[in-house]
């Protein structure tokens, strides 16, 4: 079956129960198809022109005026991705991405730290959740972060159509909500991965402990641990002790996966730790992974793993490398599908646009997974058997 036929079958199957009226039911497949097309700017006018609509009204009505629930579409995406990409090695990956916007009317827009530029910008922040496995990866959930300046302003909330019952929540709290939804939905995953913005949050870690969820999360150097002789110490002191011993045997050169430039080799060291004021789930243990650049020994990153006791180090290293899969999803959805090129301002249209892009991305991932391999896959563990790690 051709990809065109596959896309038609998918969008028509989803549109059937999603819409009560025939107009949006027929417009929805056109929107998904046009998002996948080579259109320079993915706004309603250019998408409509590409697909052959005389005006942009049909797409604008679909996003603004038609009656349908974006969460129902999200549930369809969540079912579709594991159905085709679900594997025993599946993980969920947490990260947020940003959309730089003008003005102050778009829901959630504020001057806040923008990960896209690394500085304070007028932007919206979008916490996203990716499902990844050896078969592929795609978004399965999303949120729009609502800063306190918005959450506490009834007039702005009303103008942007933000639900009255929605309260302020931190970005880690939004991911706790999304993880709860994935557990309820039965999404097949074994671990959570994410960057240090989430690894440092004790509430997110505590939720994973309570739910027996494994994780490999990047953490900051000041993450509090229980020292060997009692008392507390930051995780960064582990590196100091390793360097003081000057023992090359504690470092092992391995790959954490393949990137755009080939196998990503790093030097790794692992240390069993006890987290200050937090205990792992029964049968689980905490381990810190220290990753050191091969070319720049000063380039260090720390990861905290919460995994079943006896989990091989090679598995934890592989999981640490999976965090970048969501970066690929962010880039693909922005560059190819117009994730942040929307011209909608209100809460409901934003969720409709973003969730439709999620479906388009999922279709790309599933289509790619179905292609026959054109080369042998590299060894995921990527152990370098010819070069020993340099001593610190």
């Amino acid at each position: 079956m051709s990809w065109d036929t596959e896309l038609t079958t998918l969008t028509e199957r989803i549109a059937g129960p999603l819409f009560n009226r025939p107009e949006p039911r027929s417009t929805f497949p056109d929107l998904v198809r046009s998002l996948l097309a080579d259109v320079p700017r993915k706004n309603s006018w250019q998408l409509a022109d590409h697909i052959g609509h005389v005006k942009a009204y049909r797409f604008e009505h679909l996003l603004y005026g038609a009656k349908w629930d974006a969460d129902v579409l999200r549930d369809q995406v969540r079912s579709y991705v594991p159905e085709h990409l679900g594997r025993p090695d599946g993980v969920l990956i947490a990260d947020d991405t940003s959309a730089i916007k003008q003005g102050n009317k778009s829901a959630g827009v504020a001057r806040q730290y923008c990960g896209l530029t690394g500085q304070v910008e007028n932007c919206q922040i979008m916490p996203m959740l990716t499902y990844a496995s050896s078969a592929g990866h795609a978004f399965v959930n999303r949120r729009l972060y609502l800063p306190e300046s918005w959450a506490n302003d009834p007039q702005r909330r009303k103008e942007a159509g933000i639900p009255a019952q929605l309260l302020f929540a931190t970005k880690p709290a939004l991911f706790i909500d999304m993880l709860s939804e994935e557990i309820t939905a039965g999404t097949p995953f074994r671990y959570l991965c994410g960057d240090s913005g989430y690894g440092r949050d004790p509430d997110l870690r505590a939720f994973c402990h309570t739910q027996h969820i494994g994780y490999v999360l990047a953490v900051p150097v000041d993450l509090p641990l229980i020292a060997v002789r009692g008392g507390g110490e930051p995780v960064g002191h582990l590196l100091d002790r390793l360097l003081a011993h000057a023992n090359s045997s504690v470092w092992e050169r391995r790959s954490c996966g393949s990137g755009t430039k080939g196998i990503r080799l790093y030097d790794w060291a692992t240390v069993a730790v006890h987290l200050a004021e937090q205990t792992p789930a029964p049968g689980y243990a905490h381990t810190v992974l220290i990753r050191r650049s091969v070319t720049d020994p000063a380039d260090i990153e720390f990861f905290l793993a919460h995994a079943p006791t006896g989990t091989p180090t090679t598995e934890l290293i592989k999981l640490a490398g999976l965090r970048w899969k969501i970066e690929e999803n962010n880039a693909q959805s922005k560059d190819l599908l117009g994730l942040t090129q929307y011209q909608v301002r209100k809460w409901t249209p934003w969720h409709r646009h973003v969730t439709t892009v999620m479906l388009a991305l999922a279709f790309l991932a599933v289509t790619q997974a179905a292609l026959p391999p054109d080369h042998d896959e590299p060894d995921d563990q990527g152990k370098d058997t010819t070069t020993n790690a340099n001593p610190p």
Side-chain angles (χ1 to χ4, degrees):
M1 187 182 296
S2 69
W3 78 266
D4 185 73
T5 302
E6 291 276 8
L7 180 61
T8 299
T9 300
L10 173 65
T11 54
E12 290 184 351
R13 174 175 64 82
I14 290 176
L18 189 61
F19 304 101
N20 292 324
R21 297 184 60 81
E23 295 88 349
R25 189 180 301 127
S26 63
T27 301
F28 177 75
D30 284 350
L31 178 58
V32 178
R33 186 176 298 276
S34 59
L35 286 171
L36 288 162
D38 185 15
V39 179
R41 183 74 178 171
K42 301 293 177 75
N43 57 46
S44 294
W45 281 98
Q46 292 198 28
L47 294 176
D49 181 68
H50 169 82
I51 208 70
H53 295 179
V54 177
K55 295 182 179 180
Y57 168 76
R58 291 175 62 184
F59 286 159
E60 291 174 347
H61 178 70
L62 181 69
L63 296 177
Y64 268 96
K67 292 183 178 180
W68 61 285
D69 190 340
D71 282 351
V72 173
L73 176 57
R74 186 271 319 276
D75 293 345
Q76 291 288 336
V77 175
R78 176 196 283 139
S79 298
Y80 175 68
V81 171
E83 176 187 353
H84 295 275
L85 304 181
R87 297 291 187 276
D89 63 347
V91 303
L92 291 174
I93 310 170
D95 194 18
D96 55 72
T97 191
S98 305
I100 298 176
K101 295 294 176 181
Q102 301 294 321
N104 59 6
K105 298 296 184 182
S106 298
V109 71
R111 287 192 58 78
Q112 51 195 331
Y113 178 78
C114 175
L116 188 64
T117 63
Q119 59 189 19
V120 174
E121 302 277 2
N122 197 62
C123 66
Q124 294 167 303
I125 296 178
M126 307 154 57
M128 307 292 290
L129 195 65
T130 277
Y131 180 84
S133 72
S134 55
H137 48 95
F139 294 133
V140 290
N141 215 329
R142 75 290 183 259
R143 288 291 192 274
L144 177 58
Y145 173 67
L146 199 65
E148 289 186 85
S149 59
W150 273 85
N152 299 328
D153 190 330
Q155 184 60 34
R156 293 182 83 188
R157 293 172 63 109
K158 181 179 179 180
E159 291 174 356
I162 297 170
Q165 70 274 17
L166 195 72
L167 303 177
F168 170 75
T170 65
K171 291 186 283 292
L174 294 177
F175 277 112
I176 291 174
D177 287 344
M178 285 190 275
L179 285 173
S180 297
E181 292 173 353
E182 300 311 314
I183 293 170
T184 300
T187 302
F189 73 99
R190 295 193 304 141
Y191 286 92
L192 171 70
C193 300
D195 66 19
S196 60
Y198 299 102
R200 75 185 309 148
D201 187 79
D203 292 336
L204 178 57
R205 297 195 307 266
F207 175 82
C208 291
H209 301 159
T210 301
Q211 298 295 323
H212 291 71
I213 297 173
Y215 59 72
V216 178
L217 300 167
V219 291
V221 296
D222 60 352
L223 181 77
L225 304 175
I226 298 175
V228 175
R229 294 185 175 86
E233 67 173 352
V235 71
H237 282 186
L238 298 178
L239 178 63
D240 296 337
R241 291 208 299 272
L242 291 177
L243 294 176
H245 284 87
N247 186 353
S248 63
S249 65
V250 302
W251 297 95
E252 188 172 16
R253 187 159 296 174
R254 287 189 176 272
S255 168
C256 59
S258 298
T260 56
K261 298 181 180 180
I263 294 177
R264 294 178 291 155
L265 284 173
Y266 293 93
D267 293 339
W268 297 85
T270 58
V271 183
V273 298
H274 296 283
L275 208 57
E277 299 183 358
Q278 284 194 320
T279 57
Y284 282 65
H286 281 128
T287 305
V288 166
L289 291 80
I290 305 174
R291 191 189 74 184
R292 186 178 67 175
S293 169
V294 173
T295 57
D296 180 8
D299 182 5
I300 301 287
E301 188 164 12
F302 296 88
F303 297 84
L304 178 68
H306 174 251
T309 303
T311 299
T313 299
T314 51
E315 181 174 338
L316 300 180
I317 291 173
K318 181 180 178 182
L319 288 162
L322 284 176
R323 173 165 60 102
W324 299 105
K325 295 298 184 182
I326 196 169
E327 296 286 353
E328 295 176 13
N329 286 158
N330 287 332
Q332 290 172 336
S333 58
K334 288 181 179 181
D335 297 342
L336 300 179
L337 306 173
L339 177 69
T340 57
Q341 294 176 16
Y342 49 82
Q343 294 178 312
V344 298
R345 291 181 172 180
K346 294 190 175 184
W347 184 265
T348 296
W350 182 92
H351 283 81
R352 290 176 174 181
H353 169 83
V354 169
T355 312
T356 305
V357 170
M358 287 171 54
L359 176 63
L361 180 68
F363 175 76
L364 286 180
V366 170
T367 301
Q368 184 176 12
L371 296 175
D374 58 1
H375 62 279
D376 293 333
E377 292 295 324
D379 179 6
D380 282 339
Q381 304 307 330
K383 185 172 182 179
D384 186 345
T385 58
T386 60
T387 305
N388 291 326
N390 295 325

